[in-house]
Amino acid sequence: MKNKLGIYIHVPFCAAKCAYCDFYSLSGQLEQRDAYVSRLMAELCQNAPQCQDYTIDTVYFGGGTPSLLGGKRIAAILQAVRAHYAVEPDAEITIEANPDSMTEAFLAVSHAAGANRLSMGIQSAQEDELKAIGRVHTFSQAQDAFFRARAAGFTNISVDLMYALPGQTMDRLGQSIGALLALQPEHVSCYGLTLEPHTPLGRKNPVLPDEDTQADMYLMLCRKMAAAGFEHYEISNFAKPGFRSQHNSRYWKQSPYLGFGPGAHGDFSGVRYEIPRDFHAWLTGDAKPELEDTQALDRAAEYIMLSLRTADGFDSQYFEQTFSQNPKPIEQALSALPKQYIRHTDSRWHLTDDGFLVSNAVILAALDAC
């Protein structure tokens, strides 16, 4: 039986750079899309021989704004992936998409090519909040794009929602949650706004809701998602039963994946790497992957950190078997936490919604114990 492998493809193009965005993306430069696809196909071909013992069960187009490639380019890339790799028939194939570039043609062609999951960057249902963070779509456009995706045959759609936005109140966040849930998505990713100093929004340094209000916002999100039938399976992610993101889950489970495109990360054969954030160097083949220092990479510590961010939690039996380390000190540190923050079932330790709020402190305590 072959091992499972994921593929992540970073698409760096954006119509406009969002004011808060810290991901590697290029505003404009859409004339470079065909050159990007040609180079990407060469990269896919070059890496294929080392993957003969693997089957591909997830493909993820991230960015940037992958939907700006258009359906025909997405289809060509997926054809190249299938030509060089053993892609499973039911592989999860996700495309990140923004409402303004989700045309009928893009949706129809990419769906016909095998894409079966969309991740939509909606962020808010309030027009002034969308403008404040530099989004170029309106909520009405987002609604129309969502329904076009349904009409094109997409039955697995995730939507992004941001909270703790400048000037946002509990009531207005509640209205956005209700508006997104009314679309009936299968998955919702909810992120609190983080101001990075070098971004346009970070330089403006707007007033955000205070820490107590942000905590209340998060807990309200959790309650409303649960009431709507969503599983809270990772600190920022909620899914209807059977619709967890398989690709993102492999990051949290330390499963292998290949990264392609400038700014992409990968984790394959025990080696973690990043492709430099330099589109033109990547285009000419001069952007060599930067390997993470294996001496500094502690997979056991990473497992503790990642597992405590998920509903599956820290499994002491798995930890001992996989890393040959004694889990008792970690269990003692976790058992000392208030019951409000932690649950214990069999060999697993799970954070509650309140526990997720203080997850950084919990993780540090667990790491200090091992």
Side-chain angles (χ1 to χ4, degrees):
M1 183 177 180
K2 291 189 174 182
N3 296 315
K4 310 283 188 181
L5 181 66
I7 287 179
Y8 173 80
I9 296 171
H10 191 79
V11 181
F13 306 109
C14 276
K17 187 85 170 177
C18 294
Y20 59 87
C21 182
D22 189 40
F23 292 111
Y24 179 63
S25 61
L26 306 170
S27 180
Q29 300 196 34
L30 297 184
E31 71 281 358
Q32 297 279 10
R33 287 177 295 181
D34 289 331
Y36 165 85
V37 172
S38 295
R39 175 61 193 152
L40 178 65
M41 288 183 173
E43 207 172 62
L44 286 165
C45 180
Q46 290 166 6
N47 283 270
Q50 62 183 320
C51 302
Q52 298 304 306
D53 294 330
Y54 293 84
T55 60
I56 305 301
D57 64 346
T58 66
V59 179
Y60 193 102
F61 291 82
T65 309
S67 48
L68 281 174
L69 286 180
K72 290 183 179 179
R73 294 185 186 89
I74 293 286
I77 294 168
L78 288 175
Q79 184 178 15
V81 170
R82 290 194 176 94
H84 298 295
Y85 300 83
V87 180
E88 296 185 355
D90 60 347
E92 177 193 83
I93 300 176
T94 303
I95 306 173
E96 289 184 353
N98 280 346
D100 50 292
S101 53
M102 290 172 60
T103 64
E104 288 185 5
F106 157 74
L107 292 166
V109 175
S110 59
H111 186 266
N116 51 30
R117 184 175 185 270
L118 290 176
S119 178
M120 289 184 62
I122 297 181
Q123 316 307 357
S124 173
Q126 310 291 342
E127 306 302 343
D128 58 332
E129 291 177 358
L130 290 171
K131 288 180 181 177
I133 59 176
R135 302 296 290 181
V136 297
H137 68 269
T138 65
F139 183 64
S140 177
Q141 288 175 319
Q143 289 173 306
D144 291 344
F146 188 96
F147 296 132
R148 282 198 299 273
R150 283 286 194 239
F154 283 94
T155 57
N156 188 355
I157 304 178
S158 176
V159 297
D160 287 354
L161 173 68
M162 296 185 73
Y163 65 96
L165 300 179
Q168 191 177 54
T169 64
M170 292 285 288
D171 285 344
R172 285 166 64 80
L173 174 60
Q175 291 168 17
S176 285
I177 297 170
L180 262 65
L181 289 177
L183 297 174
Q184 299 186 10
E186 284 70 39
H187 187 282
V188 181
S189 295
C190 303
Y191 303 104
L193 175 64
T194 300
L195 291 178
E196 300 293 345
H198 56 278
T199 62
L201 196 61
R203 288 192 290 271
K204 286 184 179 179
N205 197 28
V207 176
L208 304 183
D210 60 38
E211 288 188 4
D212 287 343
T213 302
Q214 291 189 33
D216 290 340
M217 287 177 165
Y218 180 76
L219 292 176
M220 179 177 71
L221 273 166
C222 295
R223 290 194 301 270
K224 288 184 177 291
M225 291 295 118
F230 285 80
E231 301 172 341
H232 191 183
Y233 74 103
E234 194 270 343
I235 194 168
S236 301
N237 288 276
F238 304 81
K240 287 292 182 72
F243 287 95
R244 295 184 180 190
S245 170
Q246 296 175 35
H247 185 84
N248 287 342
S249 293
R250 72 184 325 122
Y251 302 149
W252 306 321
K253 294 178 180 178
Q254 299 176 301
S255 300
Y257 64 99
L258 292 175
F260 296 95
H265 293 255
D267 188 354
F268 183 70
S269 291
V271 177
R272 181 96 25 90
Y273 63 90
E274 177 183 5
I275 299 173
R277 294 181 164 206
D278 187 331
F279 176 71
H280 296 289
W282 174 80
L283 205 57
T284 58
D286 295 328
K288 304 304 179 187
E290 298 172 355
L291 305 184
E292 186 167 337
D293 184 358
T294 54
Q295 299 270 334
L297 182 60
D298 186 337
R299 295 279 184 176
E302 184 182 64
Y303 170 74
I304 295 169
M305 178 185 69
L306 294 173
S307 66
L308 287 172
R309 291 179 55 90
T310 70
D312 291 338
F314 172 80
D315 187 333
S316 57
Q317 187 175 13
Y318 172 86
F319 181 80
E320 186 171 21
Q321 291 174 347
T322 304
F323 303 107
S324 301
Q325 293 190 27
N326 182 8
K328 294 299 182 186
I330 300 167
E331 291 183 305
Q332 289 171 0
L334 295 176
S335 65
L337 296 171
K339 301 305 179 190
Q340 174 188 0
Y341 297 143
I342 196 83
R343 296 193 311 272
H344 179 211
T345 54
D346 299 323
S347 63
R348 291 184 179 272
W349 299 79
H350 320 255
L351 291 183
T352 63
D353 289 342
D354 287 291
F356 281 141
L357 274 174
V358 294
S359 60
N360 287 342
V362 172
I363 290 167
L364 284 174
L367 291 172
D368 288 341
C370 69

